[in-house]
Amino acid sequence: MAAPASSLRRAHADAETVPFWLDRSDAPAPHPPLTGPTTADLVIVGAGFTGLWAAIQAKQDDPDRDVLVLEGDTISFGASGRNGGFCDATLTHGLENGIARFPDEIETIERLAADNFEGIEATVRRFGIECDWVDSGEVAVATEPHQVGWMREGVELEQRYGYDARFLDQEQVRAELDSPRYLAGLWKRSGCAIVDPARLAWGLARVAGTLGVRFHERTPATGIGLVGAGVRVSTAAGDVTARRAILATNAFRPLVRSIRRYVVPVYDHVLMTEPLTAAQRASIGWERRQGFADATNRFHYFRTSEDGRILFGGYDAVYHWRNGVDPRFEQWEPTFDKLAGHFYGMFPQLEDIRFSHRWGGVIDTCSRFSVMFGRALEDRVSYAVGYTGMGVAATRFGARVALDLVDGLDTERTRLRLVSSKPVPFPPEPLRWIGVKFTEHEMERADHNAGERGLWLKALDALGLGFDS
């Protein structure tokens, strides 16, 4: 019997409303805001993962290049500090999505993805970034009978492309993490890790600083335009004139208007439990600390923290009218109630545990469910957006491509159709709102119909509009 809404509300009523990862007494002090006009060789707008990786790689390419990063709030304030910390090597939101959209390039994309993932881990090790990097892999779990076959097929696909993947039957998957709902699992044991995302971002910022990158936090960019042979980024405190610019603004209102056609901001929400007791931990197992996710369209993702908490998020992806982005959307009580109910349903042995943190964050999703690229203002500006919730690893690649594009380089990366093509744009309102909401309804219907996709979802698939997870 489902717990009453009032009981679920009490489970998270006293939770902190800031992201757990950012709720740290040892968080780095912010860099000072911009206080007047300045210049740079390269200005980067946004100090999330894409902006940080772009800054580091730009300085590694050319130590003499003057690189300046503008951040509207603080480093990792957006999705980079609010996500689940799943670092998956994929550049295409999973193999199936990549094969469906880029079949002729998938071998190259997967090779670049592996190199990119190795580069992230090498950076973490080389510079001593203490971000709780755990490389025990990820497990997708079947919670409905029709999903068991998906697990077997998924193992074969992962193995075909060189990943260490293993099928887990019911007994085996429950030996890793015990839930009465688990029927089978796909354990991907290479090419993925879990991390503390805020500490990763703070570590990258530290590395960038040692390389000579300049930062100005609490300095929102308000506009961008051509000036002379370069560009000018406007802020309330002064302008930045630079030869080139990279936009790494994720789902926030883009400075280049054309991006708005392709990116829809949706809110994802997360609960974090109190630290588990020894008895609670023993009741579920989870000794290896793999990341987990279930196999439904409206899926949950969950992992443990270094201090023994469980992060539990996903399911709802909430779109607000006219691409709405607002801090008030971060606290969405109906979704928190759902997540609490789903958590207790998945782990009934933890029925007494409460949640210490609850938060939401906005994700930049595009219709092909993977990063898209572009240039603007006579190719003096480049951007990488649209990661759709799987950007912890892909942002390093996205930053590398954005640098190639803004520098006018012809590389193996820039020749990819992944880079040169655009996803199908979203329609204007009110069709955008209607389409997103109806698609959510149809995805939930498919989850309750043995995964069978109806005519609407099949039509979207045929049009290249994704919505497959």
Side-chain angles (χ1 to χ4, degrees):
M1 181 176 179
S6 58
S7 175
L8 298 175
R9 185 68 52 86
R10 285 195 298 272
H12 61 77
D14 297 326
E16 297 291 340
T17 58
V18 297
F20 169 78
W21 310 119
L22 301 177
D23 189 21
R24 305 279 177 68
S25 60
D26 61 343
H31 296 81
L34 186 67
T35 56
T38 189
T39 63
D41 294 324
L42 175 67
V43 59
I44 299 169
V45 181
F49 287 139
T50 298
L52 295 169
W53 281 117
I56 289 171
Q57 292 177 110
K59 292 295 283 187
Q60 290 174 332
D61 290 347
D62 180 2
D64 293 328
R65 193 173 198 174
D66 183 16
V67 179
L68 185 150
V69 179
L70 294 177
E71 167 55 44
D73 201 283
T74 55
I75 291 168
S76 77
F77 167 80
S80 297
R82 296 167 184 265
N83 64 83
F86 287 70
C87 187
D88 191 304
T90 183
L91 303 178
T92 58
H93 204 88
L95 264 175
E96 288 189 15
N97 191 52
I99 292 169
R101 299 182 189 281
F102 310 105
D104 297 335
E105 296 181 342
I106 193 64
E107 297 282 354
T108 300
I109 291 172
E110 282 296 302
R111 173 171 52 79
L112 293 172
D115 291 345
N116 181 68
F117 184 81
E118 291 173 6
I120 295 171
E121 185 170 12
T123 300
V124 168
R125 306 298 186 200
R126 175 185 174 189
F127 293 100
I129 299 176
E130 297 181 358
C131 60
D132 190 30
W133 179 279
V134 179
D135 57 0
S136 292
E138 298 173 10
V139 181
V141 292
T143 56
E144 300 290 342
H146 68 272
Q147 297 168 359
V148 175
W150 296 354
M151 299 296 104
R152 294 187 185 278
E153 293 170 1
V155 167
E156 293 176 3
L157 184 64
E158 298 289 348
Q159 291 176 344
R160 192 183 314 154
Y161 284 86
Y163 292 99
D164 178 4
R166 174 184 171 191
F167 176 79
L168 303 177
D169 63 23
Q170 185 173 35
E171 181 179 354
Q172 290 169 328
V173 72
R174 292 187 64 173
E176 297 298 329
L177 175 58
D178 190 12
S179 168
R181 296 195 57 200
Y182 295 169
L183 304 178
L186 186 171
W187 185 2
K188 183 180 174 182
R189 301 194 290 185
S190 63
C192 45
I194 59 169
V195 300
D196 180 322
R199 292 201 184 280
L200 175 59
W202 295 337
L204 294 176
R206 173 178 58 81
V207 172
T210 63
L211 295 174
V213 174
R214 293 184 289 146
F215 288 90
H216 288 297
E217 298 178 66
R218 304 197 187 281
T219 306
T222 56
I224 189 168
L226 296 171
V227 57
V231 296
R232 177 177 292 150
V233 177
S234 303
T235 80
D239 298 336
V240 179
T241 303
R243 287 189 62 256
R244 297 291 183 265
I246 290 176
L247 304 182
T249 50
N250 189 43
F252 292 96
R253 189 175 182 85
L255 299 181
V256 172
R257 187 176 182 85
S258 61
I259 298 175
R260 301 176 198 174
R261 300 174 58 220
Y262 298 103
V263 174
V264 164
V266 295
Y267 275 83
D268 184 43
H269 296 84
V270 177
L271 292 173
M272 180 71 94
T273 71
E274 303 166 333
L276 273 65
T277 65
Q280 289 169 331
R281 188 61 176 268
S283 72
I284 61 171
W286 214 347
E287 296 300 325
R288 303 180 210 262
R289 293 191 61 197
Q290 308 99 317
F292 274 77
D294 56 50
T296 54
N297 285 306
R298 304 183 70 180
F299 65 94
H300 307 88
Y301 56 86
F302 33 109
R303 47 79 54 95
T304 57
S305 65
E306 192 172 19
D307 64 348
R309 304 167 190 263
I310 297 176
L311 177 148
F312 192 80
Y315 193 75
D316 282 345
V318 185
Y319 174 72
H320 297 278
W321 174 254
R322 295 189 67 182
N323 284 13
V325 176
D326 191 290
R328 63 193 172 95
F329 299 150
E330 295 170 9
Q331 295 296 312
W332 209 245
E333 297 288 352
T335 295
F336 291 135
D337 291 345
K338 285 182 191 175
L339 286 175
H342 296 171
F343 177 89
Y344 293 129
M346 190 169 291
F347 303 116
Q349 60 269 57
L350 301 180
E351 62 180 358
D352 295 329
I353 204 165
R354 295 296 177 262
F355 301 99
S356 64
H357 292 75
R358 64 181 195 189
W359 71 89
V362 63
I363 294 172
D364 57 338
T365 188
C366 71
S367 63
R368 73 183 187 194
F369 270 46
S370 59
V371 60
M372 56 162 277
F373 303 92
R375 291 186 284 193
L377 299 180
E378 299 181 359
D379 295 343
R380 302 178 198 178
V381 176
S382 70
Y383 55 83
V385 294
Y387 295 96
T388 317
M390 292 189 72
V392 175
T395 47
R396 181 178 180 272
F397 176 82
R400 179 69 266 170
V401 170
L403 281 167
D404 289 352
L405 291 174
V406 84
D407 289 337
L409 302 179
D410 178 20
T411 66
E412 181 183 39
R413 293 177 290 269
T414 62
R415 289 191 293 271
L416 290 170
R417 194 164 59 84
L418 168 67
V419 173
S420 62
S421 66
K422 290 287 195 297
V424 177
F426 291 102
E429 299 290 15
L431 295 179
R432 181 175 294 200
W433 167 271
I434 294 169
V436 170
K437 294 302 177 182
F438 186 66
T439 300
E440 290 175 357
H441 173 268
E442 289 298 289
M443 290 171 70
E444 184 167 17
R445 192 160 76 97
D447 284 337
H448 291 92
N449 190 32
E452 180 64 30
R453 296 167 78 79
L455 291 177
W456 175 255
L457 294 182
K458 289 178 179 177
L460 293 181
D461 292 340
L463 291 171
L465 281 167
F467 298 102
D468 60 348
S469 60

